[in-house]
Amino acid sequence: MELEIKREMDYYMNELERLFKLMFHPPRIDHFPVTKSSMPSFKEILRPWENMMERLEHDVGGSTIVERDQDKYQVIVDVQQFAPEEITVRTDDKCITIEGKHEEKKDQHGYVSRHFVRRYMLPQGYDIGHVKPSLSSDGILTITAPKLALPAPGERIVPIERSKTPAIKAA
């Protein structure tokens, strides 16, 4: 029994020593064959948060994706924890606001209540007046704002508005 304990202790001490050497005396890089794929990029070494910020914009957890393309601006939100009547989509002059709220409910772990509010500033060039929310059967809310329709270039006939009152009053 003591022999087993001694072996385990030796093993862990050797591992600690190896890790200590790696931490304080890292191997020289020229001892290893370096290929382009094995070397991290300059950006990955000095700015690791940039990739993280990119992932946060698309939220890797599947919660929110904001996309712009030529025809529309789209927000996709996972709201499967909420019933359709617990979700509200509002717009104002330049924002889309999504709110989900349910009171305390019993689940397998006890009681839970949830509430979230997400607000997205609609970029210029998209029509806030024609925002369309759509909820899928699996709890994915997709909100679409179409691109503003720009008048066709070139000549056009402008209708004249008629008034029944004179512009110049007789003296």
Side-chain angles (χ1 to χ4, degrees):
M1 184 86 160
E2 284 181 27
L3 187 59
E4 279 181 42
I5 294 173
K6 181 169 177 11
R7 279 188 198 148
E8 282 185 38
M9 291 294 288
D10 287 344
Y11 171 78
Y12 289 118
M13 289 304 289
N14 287 338
E15 284 298 302
L16 281 172
E17 186 178 332
R18 185 180 67 81
L19 289 172
F20 182 82
K21 284 180 182 176
L22 280 174
M23 286 172 50
F24 295 102
H25 304 292
R28 289 185 29 201
I29 211 143
D30 59 347
H31 288 184
F32 299 101
V34 177
T35 64
K36 188 173 183 170
S37 63
S38 70
M39 281 297 287
S41 72
F42 181 74
K43 210 177 197 184
E44 289 171 330
I45 294 169
L46 294 181
R47 297 177 181 255
W49 63 87
E50 279 186 355
N51 288 339
M52 184 177 68
M53 292 307 288
E54 224 173 80
R55 282 193 305 258
L56 284 177
E57 183 176 322
H58 282 63
D59 204 342
V60 174
S63 179
T64 304
I65 301 170
V66 180
E67 293 181 346
R68 271 185 258 179
D69 67 18
Q70 294 169 351
D71 301 329
K72 65 187 176 294
Y73 177 84
Q74 211 170 47
V75 176
I76 301 170
V77 183
D78 180 353
V79 292
Q80 61 184 314
Q81 301 294 329
F82 297 88
E85 59 274 3
E86 298 171 335
I87 303 165
T88 315
V89 177
R90 290 187 307 277
T91 61
D92 60 18
D93 292 341
K94 51 190 166 190
C95 287
I96 299 170
T97 304
I98 306 161
E99 184 172 8
K101 182 176 186 177
H102 68 69
E103 299 306 318
E104 208 169 75
K105 290 181 180 180
K106 187 168 177 53
D107 69 359
Q108 69 268 21
H109 303 291
Y111 290 89
V112 64
S113 65
R114 291 184 177 87
H115 181 221
F116 80 91
V117 177
R118 290 191 184 259
R119 185 171 291 121
Y120 300 93
M121 180 85 70
L122 192 65
Q124 283 188 338
Y126 294 91
D127 192 353
I128 194 88
H130 289 90
V131 167
K132 290 187 180 162
S134 169
L135 183 61
S136 69
S137 60
D138 59 345
I140 303 299
L141 179 66
T142 304
I143 300 166
T144 305
K147 196 127 174 122
L148 277 172
L150 299 175
E155 185 178 321
R156 68 185 182 104
I157 297 174
V158 181
I160 301 170
E161 189 177 309
R162 291 187 174 197
S163 167
K164 303 230 181 220
T165 58
I168 302 171
K169 303 203 183 215

